Amino acid sequence: MSLVSALVLALAGAGFGTWAADTWPWPKDRYCWGAWEEDSGPGFLGDEAFGDDDDGSRTSEETTPTRERPIGTCKVSIASDFESSYDGDKVTVDQQVSVEYGPVPKAAEARLKMIQDGFLGGNMVPLPDGLPGTVNGRGGLLVLPESCDTRDGRPTVVTMRASGTYTSDSSSAQSDPADLGGVRQAAVLLVAVANHGMEAAGCAPDEPLKVSSPVYDLPGERELIFSAGDVCGIRGLHLDTDDIEDQTGAATRDLQTCSVQGSRDGLAYLQLAMVAQPRLAAVFDGIVGERPVARGWRGTGRIGKEHAIVRADCAGRPATFLMGVSTDPDHLAAFANAAAARLGCAPIAPKGAAR
């Protein structure tokens, strides 16, 4: 036997033939500080993300949090161009999954815009297993343990968002977010990247956070609201406009969310939330003011240009009531009193405030 033949046989015995069949066990790519592995389940991490494109690309840009600078970002980008096997159109797909790790902003309006506008809408539900945060099929927010707080006491959070566009010869760009694999899988991805971020920043708990339960509370469907109808299922809460629809995300002891938007244009009209989960509510510490929002209201709060916030004791613990887009005190009063009644505590706003 020649030396070359012997070498070929040796390589085959060692698995060279497997490599030739494209199943050689090369290390899989990992993304976002090592948290996510290629082909580990969600669509955006597998070949299905590329559609009919055999040459699609998946790239990652990241900045890892450290003890000295506990701020980090990560973005996984998917790009593909192919001819549709359905109608022959040329298709271009650009998708992203973006992660941010860092403390909540100091300024009240910036913090409310980030947390309430981004992660307390009617399309969000609580994370499972009592984890302090919210999630849906396009992303979520997780508040990290106190060991990760800043020196001035602000909580650190991890946020995740999926986005993307789909463009073809016969249509303009359409929203086509990266596939996270559903609500529960999104929660798993969020918790995994949070664990790796905390390890890098040196504030991880003794036991890593984990998702072990299903997500029981799923966002409700959008429902058309007829003229002068109650929105968010709250008696007496009306908007003086037609062609609107609402969506309720959660109605638990810890969290209640609802959003109202235009049924035709998708324009936001109202966003409401009640947060009583202690660690999630901590993201609003320091911005609730020191006085009632008006005479007769319980607790303290403030009404700004785009957001309103009130915090009051309710059923033995603090509850935070939030309103975005609208700053009409009557809307906040109707929601806060309805949420308080559901929790079994006294009204937040005085009688007649919501008229």
Side-chain angles (χ1 to χ4, degrees):
M1 180 183 294
S2 69
L3 179 60
V4 173
S5 299
L7 179 60
V8 169
L9 288 174
L11 288 172
F16 181 78
T18 305
W19 170 79
D22 199 28
T23 57
W24 179 267
W26 298 113
K28 294 183 180 294
D29 289 334
R30 300 194 72 92
Y31 307 95
C32 288
W33 320 317
W36 304 335
E37 186 178 68
E38 179 186 8
D39 293 327
S40 58
F44 82 98
L45 293 174
D47 289 343
E48 58 264 42
F50 307 129
D52 294 332
D53 187 359
D54 294 332
D55 298 315
S57 67
R58 180 169 42 245
T59 58
S60 177
E61 304 172 30
E62 57 186 63
T63 302
T64 306
T66 64
R67 292 176 183 270
E68 296 73 26
R69 190 174 185 274
I71 297 174
T73 60
C74 171
K75 182 168 72 173
V76 178
S77 300
I78 298 159
S80 58
D81 294 282
F82 56 92
E83 184 177 290
S84 171
S85 58
Y86 174 71
D87 56 15
D89 274 5
K90 180 181 178 182
V91 174
T92 299
V93 176
D94 290 294
Q95 297 176 323
Q96 300 82 35
V97 179
S98 302
V99 172
E100 294 186 4
Y101 178 110
V104 295
K106 289 184 178 181
E109 279 294 324
R111 195 181 307 185
L112 290 168
K113 182 176 181 180
M114 173 190 176
I115 304 297
Q116 185 185 1
D117 294 359
F119 300 99
L120 288 176
N123 60 348
M124 307 297 293
V125 295
L127 284 167
D129 300 305
L131 293 168
T134 60
V135 68
N136 65 14
R138 295 188 178 186
L141 168 142
L142 174 63
V143 186
L144 302 185
E146 290 185 26
S147 58
C148 299
D149 284 1
T150 62
R151 291 181 179 178
D152 62 5
R154 284 176 293 138
T156 293
V157 300
V158 176
T159 63
M160 177 179 69
R161 292 181 174 91
S163 59
T165 57
Y166 174 102
T167 307
S168 68
D169 290 338
S170 59
S171 66
S172 57
Q174 303 176 39
S175 177
D176 184 31
D179 178 14
L180 300 182
V183 178
R184 188 182 187 280
Q185 185 61 59
V188 172
L189 290 165
L190 177 62
V191 170
V193 78
N195 282 329
H196 281 72
M198 288 188 289
E199 284 287 347
C203 65
D206 293 337
E207 294 292 331
L209 306 179
K210 64 179 181 179
V211 174
S212 57
S213 302
V215 177
Y216 293 106
D217 300 296
L218 296 177
E221 297 293 330
R222 293 176 180 173
E223 296 187 5
L224 187 65
I225 304 299
F226 296 99
S227 179
D230 295 335
V231 300
C232 299
I234 296 173
R235 186 175 181 180
L237 180 54
H238 307 299
L239 300 184
D240 295 327
T241 185
D242 296 325
D243 298 322
I244 57 174
E245 57 188 15
D246 65 6
Q247 182 178 23
T248 300
T252 70
R253 182 173 179 269
D254 287 335
L255 182 68
Q256 182 172 344
T257 60
C258 183
S259 298
V260 182
Q261 64 181 34
S263 58
R264 297 181 180 179
D265 55 15
L267 183 67
Y269 281 90
L270 181 64
Q271 189 157 304
L272 300 163
M274 181 284 299
V275 180
Q277 206 281 347
R279 189 61 187 156
L280 179 56
V283 300
F284 303 112
D285 288 353
I287 65 169
V288 295
E290 299 178 354
R291 299 178 180 178
V293 294
R295 179 178 295 180
W297 285 63
R298 291 203 301 117
T300 62
R302 61 202 306 168
I303 296 179
K305 293 181 179 180
E306 298 179 359
H307 301 89
I309 181 170
V310 172
R311 177 173 287 176
D313 289 337
C314 188
R317 60 178 181 167
T320 305
F321 305 88
L322 302 135
M323 179 173 68
V325 187
S326 168
T327 54
D328 186 334
D330 287 348
H331 295 158
L332 181 60
F335 170 71
N337 284 346
R342 187 177 62 82
L343 295 175
C345 64
I348 306 301
K351 185 177 181 180
R355 292 179 182 175

